[in-house]
Structures are given as structure tokens and as C-alpha cells.
Amino acid sequence: MSGRFAPSPTGDLHLGNLRTAVIAWLAARAAGVDFIIRMEDLDIVQASPEHERSQLADLAALEITSDVEVIRQSERFDRYHAAIDDLTARGLTYECFCSRREVRAEIENSTSAPHLPPGSYPGTCRDLTDAQRVRRARDRPPALRLRAPDGEVMTVVDQVAGEFAGGVDDTVLRRNDGVPSYNVAVVLDDAAQGVTQVVRGDDLLSSTPRQIHLQRLFDVATPTYAHVPLVIGGDGERLSKRHGSVTLGDLAHIGLGPLDVLTWIGHTLGRAFEPRPESIEDALAAMLDRFDVRTLASDPVVAPLWS
């Protein structure tokens, strides 16, 4: 049994990432299960070993480390392809030749079923004939999509967000460049690593019904979920590399360190910290005392105006 934090090594971790990592670590320790870190480096263009090293160093500065060896999704493609091929053998996939631009246009002009998540693929290539597939393959290699049951709705009782029901769409399983999709990789890796609790940002809540459906198709267990609120800027926009993100490196330039960050995270979790902790170990111990992820507020957290 384990909990996990699984960042994409495409840049430095910002305050929102760090807060989620600390909460995931606290949840695992409170439950008495292992805590694992996994690198979700499916983005073969943006992900890099340098970003991975930077992220692991920042987490270690907060004394957030993995209890097991860190694995990388880029080294596990054979597992994902085998699982996708099994779905194909069961008649549960189809080739899709749409470009991203075509998909966007189709979505804008589609009257998708109301149960489907926003941006769901409208099924343009779902029922192509063999001759149509041959013609379209001359212009573009196909992606592979899940042939989801019509009207399929999955419900998750999230430990922070509460009950959430969402439709299952024809999600991409393998891109047209041969890279497996995030939804396939995360489901298989959570199962392989014995992940029993998933703590992550609430921007991924809408993906959970798709993942539960895939868990059932792959015959693996469904973990508990806790989708924690994002950290946003003062203007209400979510933090990102291009918008207001603050990293440990940025804070070091103004004389603030990991203990300052942990103290702030503790305040967002309702810990008054009186007196201020003298060490990172003390801060983590204070946050862990009587920690229960189910008591977290579901409202977004505003990043501090450090200067």
C-alpha cells in the first residue's frame, strides 16, 4: 500500500506543486503507508533529466523523499503498449486520424452528450470504413482511441471534493507519434506500485472517471482519491510557468528558504505554528499531528505576496 506524488519533470516545482507534494506525503504518513515519487515524463519534448534532478532536490530540501526507487514512465512504454494492444484485441479501440485543430473544430461544432466532460472527442473517426481508414492513413498516422460505451458515467467519492460524477469519452490511448497517453500510464503505474491513495491537484478531478473506467478494463484496483485545491495568484489565475509561479530558487534570491515555505503550507492547512518551528523536521511533525486529508478545505489557496 502506498501514496504518491507524481510530477512531470518539465520545469521547476512551484508553490502549488510543493504544497500538493507535502499534502501527499502527510496523507501517506498519516495512513501508515509508503510514500513514493514517480516521474511522469511522457512529454518527450519538454521533460528532461535536469528538471527531474531539480524537482527531486527541491522536494528533498523540504525533506520529502521517496521510500522506494523513483521510476520514470519513459522507461515503461513496453508495459503500456502491451496493455493497449490487449484492449485492441478485445475490440475496445479504434484509429483516429484527426489533427488537434480538427478535433478542436469538431468539439466546437458538436452537441456532445451532456454527461461527457468538456472537450470530449465527438467520435469523428469512430465508425470509419476500412476504405476510409486507408485513405486517411495516407495523410497522417493514426492515434488510437478507446471505444467507450455510450452513456457510461463513473462516480468517485473524493475525500476533499466530495461526490463527483463524470462521463467516459473516447480518450486517446496512444498518440500518433507512438507515445502512450497519461491516462493509460497513470492507471497501470498506480496498480504496479500498489498505490492505494492518490492525492493530486483538483484540475485532474475531471480525468478520474476515465481512469476508473480504465482500471476496470485492466482489472486493477481503484485507489482512494483526494483532489486538493490549486494555489492561485492574486488575480485568481492558477499558477504556471508563465503565470506567477514561485519556486524555491526564486525565494532564495530574497532570503527565504524551505522552512519559510513549509511554514506557509502549514498555515494553509490550518496550523497556527506558535511558536514558529525551528526546523523542517519540527514543521512536518507539527503538520502530521492529527492530520486528516478529509478535513482539507476545497477552496483555492492564494499564493503569498513574498518580496
Side-chain angles (χ1 to χ4, degrees):
M1 297 186 293
S2 61
R4 50 84 159 173
F5 178 64
S8 298
T10 57
D12 292 334
L13 299 175
H14 57 60
L15 289 177
N17 305 138
L18 295 172
R19 181 177 185 269
T20 300
V22 170
I23 294 173
W25 183 89
L26 291 169
R29 289 291 180 262
V33 301
D34 284 343
F35 175 75
I36 65 176
I37 296 173
R38 180 172 70 229
M39 286 292 157
E40 298 192 335
D41 57 347
L42 294 175
D43 188 336
I44 58 178
V45 175
Q46 298 295 327
S48 73
E50 291 76 17
H51 291 319
E52 176 183 325
R53 286 191 289 270
S54 171
Q55 291 185 354
L56 291 175
D58 283 353
L59 292 170
L62 300 179
E63 298 189 11
I64 303 299
T65 58
S66 183
D67 294 324
V68 301
E69 181 181 357
V70 175
I71 69 167
R72 299 162 190 84
Q73 289 183 333
S74 61
E75 299 171 351
R76 300 168 66 81
F77 277 22
D78 57 336
R79 299 169 183 259
Y80 312 145
H81 289 315
I84 294 169
D85 291 345
D86 177 66
L87 294 181
T88 298
R90 293 157 60 187
L92 297 175
T93 69
Y94 64 90
E95 293 179 328
C96 175
F97 300 89
C98 298
S99 67
R100 290 183 180 181
R101 178 180 297 178
E102 290 169 340
V103 170
R104 285 195 298 268
E106 289 287 343
I107 289 172
E108 290 172 359
N109 297 323
S110 172
T111 55
S112 296
H115 70 275
L116 290 177
S120 296
Y121 180 68
T124 309
C125 293
R126 200 175 216 255
D127 298 311
L128 294 180
T129 65
D130 290 342
Q132 288 172 322
R133 281 194 292 272
V134 169
R135 285 197 300 271
R136 297 211 63 177
R138 295 169 185 162
D139 300 322
R140 181 182 297 112
L144 201 65
R145 288 187 179 272
L146 175 70
R147 188 179 294 275
D150 291 335
E152 184 78 2
V153 176
M154 292 290 174
T155 300
V156 57
V157 180
D158 189 85
Q159 292 185 314
V160 176
E163 185 173 298
F164 176 81
V168 177
D169 63 342
D170 289 2
T171 187
V172 169
L173 302 175
R174 182 160 55 214
R175 299 180 344 204
N176 72 349
D177 61 0
V179 175
S181 75
Y182 164 77
N183 285 315
V184 169
V186 72
V187 165
L188 294 176
D189 287 342
D190 282 346
Q193 293 192 284
V195 172
T196 50
Q197 58 172 216
V198 172
V199 177
R200 59 188 182 185
D202 62 8
D203 55 325
L204 292 172
L205 179 59
S206 63
S207 296
T208 307
R210 297 184 185 102
Q211 292 168 18
I212 293 175
H213 182 64
L214 286 172
Q215 287 158 2
R216 296 182 180 182
L217 292 179
F218 293 141
D219 193 24
V220 298
T222 295
T224 62
Y225 288 96
H227 287 85
V228 302
L230 299 179
V231 176
I232 60 175
D235 58 0
E237 295 294 323
R238 59 178 291 183
L239 299 185
S240 68
K241 298 181 185 68
R242 297 176 180 173
H243 179 80
S245 63
V246 177
T247 68
L248 287 185
D250 296 327
L251 294 175
H253 289 303
I254 58 174
L256 297 174
L259 184 55
D260 297 292
V261 172
L262 275 182
T263 301
W264 169 74
I265 292 173
H267 283 304
T268 70
L269 301 179
R271 299 303 167 115
F273 281 145
E274 296 294 344
R276 174 187 165 94
E278 295 184 358
S279 68
I280 290 173
E281 183 179 356
D282 289 344
L284 289 174
M287 283 189 276
L288 184 56
D289 182 39
R290 297 186 301 278
F291 178 82
D292 187 340
V293 71
R294 295 171 297 181
T295 65
L296 293 182
S298 58
D299 298 325
V301 176
V302 179
L305 295 175
W306 277 316
S307 60

